[in-house]
Amino acid sequence: MTQFIRAAIVGDEEVLARLNRFVQDLHLVQRPEHFKPTQIRELAEWYDSLLQSSTARLWIAEVDGQPVGYLSAILHHHQENPFARARDWWEIDQIAVDPTYRRKGIARSLIVEAMNEARAQGIHQVEAVTWSFNGDIQEVLRRLGFVSKTIRFERKASALPC
Ligand SMILES: CC(C)(COP(=O)(O)OP(=O)(O)OC[C@H]1O[C@@H](n2cnc3c(N)ncnc32)[C@H](O)[C@@H]1OP(=O)(O)O)[C@@H](O)C(=O)NCCC(=O)NCCS
């Protein structure tokens, strides 16, 4: 089994749209009120514009020449304000691996690639937001040395206060 990580380029939008189901299906099952079923054509257009963005980078993982996973990362910039200093960081936005190829180090390789790119650009911070239900990606991030930074709470406004 030969694993290879390559930068995604314009023309890969359909491949990315197909790989996306490995994360979208999970999101849809867990939070159907938030996520919606996707259409390949609409997704391909969305990835096409992401691939052309100067602040996005995407990678595709291949095994024996077949695409089996991907990662997208977005460069963020926050200007200084009265409360916080200016900062730049790369955010891992999406990552998914075909279930058949999980636990073989593919997500690790994709994340390492994104971190190398951040370093090459002189960006010192890489972040990722995960849903609370997603213990799998949280474990992957911990194994790669990421630590929890903020915790987001939610509650239905219609529920009675306790
Ligand atoms: C989360 C996901 C990307 C992990 O991909 P993967 O290729 O199986 O992960 P890797 O094999 O590179 O694992 C990296 C490390 O995390 C560990 N790990 C991976 N999945 C794990 C799990 N479910 N439970 C515990 N540890 C896990 C591995 O053992 C490995 O540890 P090591 O390097 O110390 O040996 C994959 O399960 C997936 O696609 N899930 C659905 C999509 C998703 O949830 N995406 C994130 C939301 S945006």
Side-chain angles (χ1 to χ4, degrees):
M1 191 180 98
T2 313
Q3 275 186 34
F4 181 62
I5 306 289
R6 67 173 178 85
I9 53 170
V10 173
D12 282 322
E13 51 276 6
E14 283 237 354
V15 170
L16 293 161
R18 289 185 194 288
L19 290 171
N20 171 264
R21 77 178 187 280
F22 298 126
V23 57
Q24 185 68 12
D25 288 355
L26 170 73
H27 285 164
L28 196 53
V29 167
Q30 294 289 336
R31 296 296 297 248
E33 81 293 355
H34 181 97
F35 291 97
K36 59 180 198 176
T38 50
Q39 307 292 330
I40 288 286
R41 224 185 61 189
E42 191 185 22
L43 270 190
E45 280 170 21
W46 188 86
Y47 282 111
D48 179 50
S49 93
L50 195 63
L51 286 163
Q52 296 186 53
S53 158
S54 59
T55 55
R57 292 282 183 284
L58 295 94
W59 290 269
I60 291 174
E62 293 182 346
V63 169
D64 298 333
Q66 294 308 308
V68 299
Y70 79 105
L71 180 151
S72 64
I74 314 284
L75 178 62
H76 288 271
H77 171 73
H78 264 194
Q79 290 192 333
E80 184 169 344
N81 65 31
F83 307 100
R85 304 176 196 283
R87 70 184 197 100
D88 295 303
W89 77 99
W90 275 100
E91 177 113 5
I92 296 171
D93 189 45
Q94 297 181 348
I95 180 167
V97 174
D98 180 332
T100 312
Y101 295 95
R102 287 183 189 166
R103 307 299 288 264
K104 297 180 191 308
I106 290 174
R108 171 180 277 275
S109 301
L110 285 163
I111 293 169
V112 166
E113 200 70 33
M115 292 176 70
N116 288 341
E117 173 77 12
R119 245 192 328 272
Q121 293 188 8
I123 306 287
H124 301 294
Q125 201 71 9
V126 177
E127 302 189 3
V129 174
T130 81
W131 285 90
S132 296
F133 62 73
N134 199 335
D136 291 354
I137 188 63
Q138 288 160 23
E139 189 54 31
V140 170
L141 291 169
R142 275 189 214 103
R143 299 273 178 128
L144 279 149
F146 287 72
V147 292
S148 170
K149 179 179 172 180
T150 57
I151 302 180
R152 189 180 187 93
F153 287 83
E154 67 176 346
R155 186 180 198 273
K156 293 217 178 337
S158 56
L160 287 174
C162 36

